[in-house]
């Protein structure tokens, strides 16, 4: 321990008289106290479009739902908005048809029916919202009313897909391997199918077909892909592919549409090496073909729209669109998109919107 006389050298001098904390911003005479000024400021908790655009969805009326999150500092939270097609080019807080701030991040938003929105929050909850009702509010029919809420996952939901064949049903999955099928046809949110151990490795992808609500597919980081039968009383699955060599790591999946040459029998899987693998559900355990889309990127998302397959990557971010009738003919490429690409949505047969961090929204139009 230093002697008392030496310690006096380190005392604050009497001549040090800084201004109050609130006046310290940009004051170069007292730079070490600017942190105290930041702590003294009240945090801006107003509803606004945060810098991280994490999820987007569109219904049959071309009404957009957008989830943005504040992902900095020690506390994260998010807001989801509803915007009409006219305001899609310039989304702001003021021209939103509806908006709601959450105390947690809003990880995924998906329209089920035109007036029903699903929201997966960072605290593991799944919420169902009614977004439009002339009976409830004739003057402003866009208004939010919660239909149901459930926290059936032990960790945050990472995948959410609505069955197109029955839009009152949806399936959710989390990285720990928990899967739930939800039915919100009634006045509440009910889980009708559940498994806790879908994969032994981290679950990374999920896809549903367009023509049925009886099946869905999942894949994991260990190179295993499974197709599930939702009609079974107990969770039932069949292995489509299992990489025992541990050389393949799946990242995402997409189920082909009935308009392709092979109908909806093909499922596409992206991996960490920039490849897209094709599996025929009638001939499991092997790839029909493997196509290299990116040399230096990770496939982050696949999206089907008729005969077109959009392949999106991260690290760095990029978008390629291929025509799938008979071949993987790449008809569109864009490698100047976002710092990190997070989600995408087709607005028509030729237009793909991608969102992310950095450059928030990019429109891709195929020839």
């Amino acid at each position: 321990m230093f002697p008392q006389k030496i310690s006096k050298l380190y005392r604050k001098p009497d001549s040090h008289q800084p201004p109050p904390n609130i006046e310290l911003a940009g004051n170069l005479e007292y730079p070490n106290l600017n942190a105290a000024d930041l702590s003294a400021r009240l945090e801006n908790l107003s509803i606004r479009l945060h810098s991280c655009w994490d999820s987007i969805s569109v219904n049959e009326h071309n009404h957009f739902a957008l989830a943005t999150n504040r992902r900095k500092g020690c506390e994260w939270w998010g807001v989801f908005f509803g915007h009409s097609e006219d305001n899609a080019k310039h989304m702001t807080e003021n021209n939103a048809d509806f908006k709601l701030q959450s105390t947690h991040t809003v990880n995924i938003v998906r329209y089920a029916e035109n007036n029903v929105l699903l929201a997966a929050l960072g605290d593991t909850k799944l919420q169902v919202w009614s977004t439009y009702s002339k009976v409830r509010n004739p003057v402003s029919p866009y208004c939010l009313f919660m239909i149901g809420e459930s926290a059936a996952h032990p960790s945050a939901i990472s995948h959410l897909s609505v069955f197109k064949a029955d839009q009152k049903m949806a399936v959710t999955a989390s990285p720990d391997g928990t899967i739930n099928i939800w039915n919100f046809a009634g006045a509440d949110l009910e889980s009708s199918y559940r498994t806790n151990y879908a994969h032994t490795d981290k679950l990374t992808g999920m896809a549903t077909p367009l023509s049925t609500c009886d099946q869905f597919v999942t894949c994991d980081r260990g190179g295993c892909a499974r197709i599930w039968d939702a009609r079974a009383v107990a969770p039932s699955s069949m292995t489509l592919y299992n990489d025992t060599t541990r050389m393949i790591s799946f990242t995402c999946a997409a189920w082909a549409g009935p308009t392709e040459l092979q109908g909806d029998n093909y499922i596409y899987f992206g991996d960490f090496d920039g490849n897209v693998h094709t599996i025929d559900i009638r001939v499991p355990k092997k790839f029909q073909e493997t196509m290299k889309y990116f040399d230096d990127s990770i496939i982050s998302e696949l999206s089907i729209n008729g005969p077109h397959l959009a392949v999106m990557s991260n690290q760095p971010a990029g978008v390629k669109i291929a025509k799938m009738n008979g071949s993987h003919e790449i008809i569109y490429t864009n490698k100047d998109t976002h710092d990190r690409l997070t989600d995408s949505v087709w607005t028509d047969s030729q237009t793909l919107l991608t969102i992310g961090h950095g450059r928030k929204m990019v429109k891709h139009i195929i020839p």
Side-chain angles (χ1 to χ4, degrees):
M1 184 174 179
F2 289 110
Q4 187 69 23
K5 290 184 179 180
I6 296 178
S7 66
K8 291 181 180 179
L9 297 175
Y10 300 95
R11 291 188 307 175
K12 182 177 72 174
D14 296 334
S15 60
H16 183 80
Q17 298 293 333
N21 288 342
I22 201 65
E23 300 176 11
L24 283 175
N27 192 321
L28 300 181
E29 295 182 6
Y30 304 96
N32 294 333
L33 295 181
N34 284 341
D37 167 47
L38 271 181
S39 301
R41 293 184 182 184
L42 294 177
E43 194 161 10
N44 183 5
L45 301 178
S46 62
I47 293 181
R48 61 192 186 277
L49 284 165
H50 295 287
S51 59
C52 298
W53 289 27
D54 285 315
S55 186
I56 189 170
S57 182
V58 62
N59 63 14
E60 295 175 353
H61 296 159
N62 277 342
H63 194 268
F64 292 87
L66 174 70
T68 71
N69 291 295
R70 177 190 186 272
R71 296 184 181 272
K72 61 181 180 180
C74 58
E75 293 195 17
W76 294 3
W77 65 81
V79 184
F80 64 82
F81 300 86
H83 286 274
S84 64
E85 184 180 12
D86 296 335
N87 296 326
K89 294 181 180 179
H90 184 61
M91 296 181 179
T92 67
E93 301 88 345
N94 297 327
N95 64 13
D97 293 322
F98 60 80
K99 51 192 172 184
L100 184 69
Q101 181 165 295
S102 170
T103 55
H104 301 274
T105 56
V106 184
N107 295 342
I108 310 173
V109 288
R110 292 289 182 265
Y111 267 112
E113 297 176 315
N114 289 325
N115 304 325
V116 176
L117 181 69
L118 302 177
L121 307 184
D123 63 345
T124 77
K125 289 181 181 178
L126 177 68
Q127 296 178 340
V128 184
W129 293 88
S130 169
T131 62
Y132 186 96
S133 175
K134 290 186 177 180
V135 175
R136 191 181 307 119
N137 193 336
V139 178
S140 179
Y142 279 107
C143 53
L144 292 172
F145 178 80
M146 183 182 288
I147 299 174
E149 181 183 63
S150 179
H153 286 263
S155 60
I157 295 170
S158 57
H159 298 86
L160 167 60
S161 182
V162 177
F163 288 101
K164 297 298 183 183
D166 186 353
Q167 296 186 353
K168 292 182 173 60
M169 294 180 63
V171 57
T172 57
S174 50
D176 56 78
T178 303
I179 296 174
N180 278 279
I181 292 182
W182 303 93
N183 190 320
F184 38 92
D188 203 354
L189 182 65
E190 179 185 358
S191 175
S192 58
Y193 184 97
R194 176 183 174 88
T195 178
N196 292 331
Y197 304 102
H199 290 268
T200 57
D201 216 317
K202 181 181 178 180
L203 192 150
T204 55
M206 183 181 69
T208 55
L210 297 177
S211 57
T212 178
C213 57
D214 297 329
Q215 293 177 310
F216 61 95
V217 68
T218 57
C219 60
D220 66 24
R221 181 169 288 180
C224 178
R226 296 181 181 276
I227 185 169
W228 296 82
D229 188 350
R231 295 165 296 185
V233 177
S236 175
S237 67
M238 178 183 71
T239 301
L240 286 179
Y241 190 84
N242 191 18
D243 179 27
T244 56
T245 63
R246 310 289 290 184
M247 297 296 291
I248 297 176
S249 293
F250 292 132
T251 57
C252 53
W255 203 306
T259 57
E260 290 194 22
L261 290 179
Q262 299 295 330
D264 53 1
N265 296 310
Y266 274 6
I267 302 176
Y268 304 106
F269 297 92
D271 70 10
F272 272 85
D273 297 319
N275 301 312
V276 174
H277 308 277
T278 305
I279 295 179
D280 191 331
I281 62 176
R282 300 165 298 184
V283 189
K285 306 297 178 69
K286 70 175 185 178
F287 294 140
Q288 294 298 313
E289 57 184 346
T290 296
M291 182 72 177
K292 188 78 171 179
Y293 274 83
F294 295 94
D295 294 324
D296 55 354
S297 302
I298 298 170
I299 305 295
S300 59
E301 186 177 351
L302 301 172
S303 180
I304 293 284
N305 184 29
H308 297 123
L309 172 67
V311 182
M312 288 148 277
S313 69
N314 270 318
Q315 300 179 1
V319 175
K320 289 187 178 182
I321 301 176
K323 197 168 184 178
M324 305 306 294
N325 283 345
S327 66
H328 288 250
E329 178 191 357
I330 297 175
I331 59 176
Y332 176 88
T333 300
N334 188 335
K335 294 187 177 181
D336 181 23
T337 54
H338 312 271
D339 296 337
R340 179 175 179 268
L341 193 152
T342 56
D343 203 1
S344 66
V345 63
W346 290 93
T347 58
D348 55 46
S349 60
Q350 293 183 299
T351 305
L352 175 74
L353 294 181
T354 59
I355 63 168
H357 304 173
R359 192 177 174 189
K360 296 174 183 178
M361 179 180 287
V362 179
K363 179 184 287 188
H364 311 271
I365 302 176
I366 59 178

